[in-house]
């Protein structure tokens, strides 16, 4: 048998605990797949008195990050602390000490990918991060290796399981947003502070990483236009359903100067190489037809649809988080390092390097889409005419209108749903500003893109 690959686990919480379990409980399988033993030599935590998996020998647990990184028997440092402070220090120190790094930390890569990967290249070491996007779904390998013959033309993805769980509970259980969120928290799918999940930040981090692999663009998460699910009300779910649609929080990348349908999606989806090397990135709730593949992804699952110019459309789906699914991806990275595949792929991919692949990020105003717009309007003559005139001023035509009769007599505000034909986001927002200021508009308008 070849040389042992020594591993230091920095962080042994949810994911780290799962990684330790797979390495220790399935040592024979892992050794066979890697062609050499993978030895868990050190486990570093904040509080060594916490109870851990009984398979972890107590004498390898410590709080000494420095000693773990500099142990000559350690070849790979697995960073599973999370965050962008100490985690970044650990990763940079490990690379400087000549160790390969495996991480599940999307925030770190999205924020500091260029710095981390440059440090890796300087040290001639490898950084693996399959678990950083979509947990147990092997989408990093799919994009970087299996689809290497393609230019990716579009990505549409459900990358936040918490949001998808909430939207599923609203659509199928008829729950309000608040009740669905409370259920997600009770079942452990949502954190006590769910902000980063429901406001689209977490999905934006992951989209930034996918966009780097697929298009070579280094978009910072804050540069990605995003809208969360916290503005979605049960009434929107019902109207969407009535129109034949399901609402999903999507992270999307569209090449070729457009988004969603109209020319852009047809081009992107047909796999034609985009005439314009631009890519639009955004995270937002999108109305998908019930028959759309992504509309059928339920609960806390993740799914990534990738359109490639050679292959066409491919779909990757599975558990996007959780202890063992995430550990599955981390251990796959360790096995790839053991085999030596990861090193060669990493050297060839030149991720976050200055090598320009020609794509630039398109400003969100140019992205074209159809829109669902829900207004709360005072029920009196002329309201509809005002709204249609403002949309017409921006050359936006209406595809359908839904208005139910007021439940009570007396002219209180009633919901009015307008579905538009294709329009640029910029022009739609201009119209929206004016509609918001109409004296008959009784509440802030709610709007979402349509996925067709
Ligand atoms: N959880 C998931 O489903 C999931 C999925 C995909 C990716 N990820 C990513 O995986 C990473 C880890 O997440 P997690 O959920 O496993 O986190 P976690 O359960 O909070 O575990 C964090 C670990 O880091 C240790 N730690 C924290 N501060 C430390 C310090 N100063 N020195 C030494 N150790 C320290 C903690 O020690 P103690 O045990 O002593 O507290 C704990 O073992 C994050 O980047 C996250 O984004 C998580």
């Amino acid at each position: 048998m070849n040389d042992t690959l020594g591993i230091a686990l920095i962080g042994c919480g949810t994911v780290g605990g799962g990684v330790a379990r797979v390495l220790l409980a399935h040592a024979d399988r892992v050794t066979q797949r890697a062609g050499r033993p993978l030895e868990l030599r050190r486990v570093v935590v904040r509080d060594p008195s916490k109870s851990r998996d009984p398979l972890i020998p107590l004498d390898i647990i410590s709080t000494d990050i420095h000693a773990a990184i500099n142990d000559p028997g350690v070849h790979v440092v697995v960073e599973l602390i999370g965050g962008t402070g100490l985690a970044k220090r650990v990763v940079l120190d490990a690379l400087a000490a000549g160790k390969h790094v495996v991480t599940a930390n999307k925030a770190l890569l999205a924020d500091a990918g260029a710095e981390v990967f440059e440090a890796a290249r300087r040290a001639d070491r490898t950084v693996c991060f399959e678990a950083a996007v979509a947990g147990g779904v092997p989408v990093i390998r799919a994009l970087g290796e299996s689809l290497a013959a393609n230019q990716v033309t579009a990505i549409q993805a459900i990358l936040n399981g918490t949001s998808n769980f909430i939207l599923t509970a609203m659509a199928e259980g008829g729950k309000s947003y608040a009740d669905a969120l409370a259920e997600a928290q009770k079942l452990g799918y949502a954190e006590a502070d769910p902000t980063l999940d429901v406001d689209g930040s977490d999905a934006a981090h992951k989209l930034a990483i996918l966009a780097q692999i697929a298009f070579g663009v280094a978009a910072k998460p804050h540069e990605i236009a995003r809208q969360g699910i916290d503005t979605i009300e049960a009434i929107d779910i019902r109207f969407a359903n009535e129109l034949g649609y399901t609402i999903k929080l999507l992270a999307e990348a569209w090449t070729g100067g457009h988004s969603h349908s109209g020319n852009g999606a047809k081009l992107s989806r047909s796999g034609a190489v985009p005439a314009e090397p631009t890519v639009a990135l955004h995270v937002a709730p999108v109305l998908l037809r019930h028959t759309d593949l992504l509309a059928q992804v339920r609960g806390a699952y993740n799914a990534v649809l990738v359109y490639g110019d050679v292959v066409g459309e491919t779909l990757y789906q599975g558990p996007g988080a959780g202890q063992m699914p995430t550990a599955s991806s981390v251990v796959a990275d360790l096995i790839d390092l053991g085999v030596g595949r990861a090193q060669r792929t990493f050297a060839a991919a030149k991720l976050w390097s200055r090598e320009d692949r020609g794509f630039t990020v398109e400003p969100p105003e140019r992205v074209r889409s159809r829109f669902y717009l829900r207004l709360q309007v005072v029920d009196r003559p002329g309201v509809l005419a005002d709204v249609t005139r403002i949309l017409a001023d921006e050359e936006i035509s209406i595809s359908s209108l839904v208005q139910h009769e007021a439940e009570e007599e007396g002219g209180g505000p009633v919901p009015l749903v307008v579905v538009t034909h294709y329009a640029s986001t910029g022009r739609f927002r201009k119209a929206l500003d004016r509609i918001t200021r109409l004296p008959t508009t009784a509440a802030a308008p709610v709007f979402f893109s349509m996925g067709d």
Side-chain angles (χ1 to χ4, degrees), residues 46-135:
R46 186 172 32 199
D47 177 1
S49 69
K50 271 192 199 169
S51 86
R52 313 267 165 195
D53 191 312
L55 286 180
I56 305 173
L58 288 176
D59 63 345
I60 68 168
I61 300 176
S62 82
T63 57
D64 193 341
I65 295 175
H66 182 79
I69 288 177
N70 290 292
D71 176 346
V74 164
H75 308 100
V76 186
V77 169
V78 183
E79 182 280 303
L80 293 169
I81 295 176
T84 53
L86 177 62
K88 183 169 158 189
R89 202 56 278 140
V90 167
V91 166
L92 294 178
D93 287 354
L95 292 168
K99 311 300 160 97
H100 300 299
V101 167
V102 176
T103 180
N105 193 332
K106 64 240 153 192
L108 174 63
L109 295 181
D111 276 349
E115 189 180 347
V116 165
F117 280 61
E118 187 47 43
R121 279 187 281 271
R122 255 198 328 272
D124 195 19
R125 298 292 99 171
T126 296
V127 178
C128 298
F129 53 99
E130 180 64 69
V133 180

Side-chain angles (χ1 to χ4, degrees), residues 368-369 387-398 420-424 427-428 430-431 434:
R368 286 174 63 77
S369 179
V387 171
T388 47
R389 184 177 34 78
I390 291 172
L391 289 170
D393 287 350
E394 294 300 333
E395 295 176 17
I396 301 170
S397 53
I398 292 174
T420 74
H421 281 299
Y422 301 103
S424 74
R427 297 200 86 161
F428 177 75
K430 266 196 208 161
R434 287 178 59 198

Side-chain angles (χ1 to χ4, degrees), residues 28-314:
D28 289 350
R29 182 198 302 168
V30 169
T31 299
Q32 191 228 330
R33 305 275 160 88
R36 60 201 280 199
L38 267 54
E39 184 197 1
L40 183 58
R41 285 180 63 89
R42 290 182 181 257
V43 172
V44 180
V45 293
R46 186 172 32 199
D47 177 1
S49 69
K50 271 192 199 169
S51 86
R52 313 267 165 195
D53 191 312
L55 286 180
I56 305 173
L58 288 176
D59 63 345
I60 68 168
I61 300 176
S62 82
T63 57
D64 193 341
I65 295 175
H66 182 79
I69 288 177
N70 290 292
D71 176 346
V74 164
H75 308 100
V76 186
V77 169
V78 183
E79 182 280 303
L80 293 169
I81 295 176
T84 53
L86 177 62
K88 183 169 158 189
R89 202 56 278 140
V90 167
V91 166
L92 294 178
D93 287 354
L95 292 168
K99 311 300 160 97
H100 300 299
V101 167
V102 176
T103 180
N105 193 332
K106 64 240 153 192
L108 174 63
L109 295 181
D111 276 349
E115 189 180 347
V116 165
F117 280 61
E118 187 47 43
R121 279 187 281 271
R122 255 198 328 272
D124 195 19
R125 298 292 99 171
T126 296
V127 178
C128 298
F129 53 99
E130 180 64 69
V133 180
V137 187
V139 65
I140 300 294
R141 260 185 202 70
L143 276 178
E145 299 175 33
S146 312
L147 299 178
N150 291 262
Q151 173 54 57
V152 171
T153 57
I155 297 171
Q156 268 189 305
I158 294 172
L159 293 177
N160 187 269
T162 307
S163 297
N164 204 55
F165 178 89
I166 292 171
L167 293 174
T168 308
M170 289 175 78
E172 294 179 8
K175 288 187 170 18
S176 67
Y177 172 78
D179 287 350
L181 172 59
E183 188 185 350
Q185 284 169 323
K186 202 170 100 204
L187 292 172
Y189 291 125
E191 307 275 335
D193 176 3
T195 312
L196 295 180
D197 287 321
V198 299
D199 78 354
S201 306
D202 172 76
H205 281 134
K206 295 167 181 168
L207 181 62
I209 295 172
L210 295 183
Q212 166 60 220
I213 300 169
F215 308 106
V217 294
K220 292 276 186 195
H222 68 265
E223 294 164 346
I224 295 178
R226 78 185 146 75
Q227 185 186 349
I229 61 164
D230 35 358
T231 54
I232 300 176
E233 294 182 27
I235 189 174
D236 298 309
I237 305 273
R238 286 201 300 275
F239 272 120
N241 191 40
E242 201 174 311
L243 291 159
Y245 291 83
T246 303
I247 306 183
K248 292 290 184 192
L249 182 71
L250 294 190
E252 300 187 301
W254 294 97
T255 57
H258 295 87
S259 171
H260 289 136
S261 206
N263 295 334
K266 283 195 196 98
L267 266 180
S268 295
R269 289 186 194 204
S270 69
V273 178
E276 267 184 273
T278 59
V279 57
L281 304 173
H282 60 142
V283 175
V286 175
L287 271 71
L288 296 176
R289 282 201 188 273
H290 289 322
T291 49
D292 202 306
L293 285 176
L294 291 179
Q296 289 155 45
V297 176
R298 302 173 58 246
Y301 269 58
N302 279 194
V304 185
L305 254 180
V306 181
Y307 303 90
D309 64 347
V310 180
V311 70
E313 180 181 310
T314 58

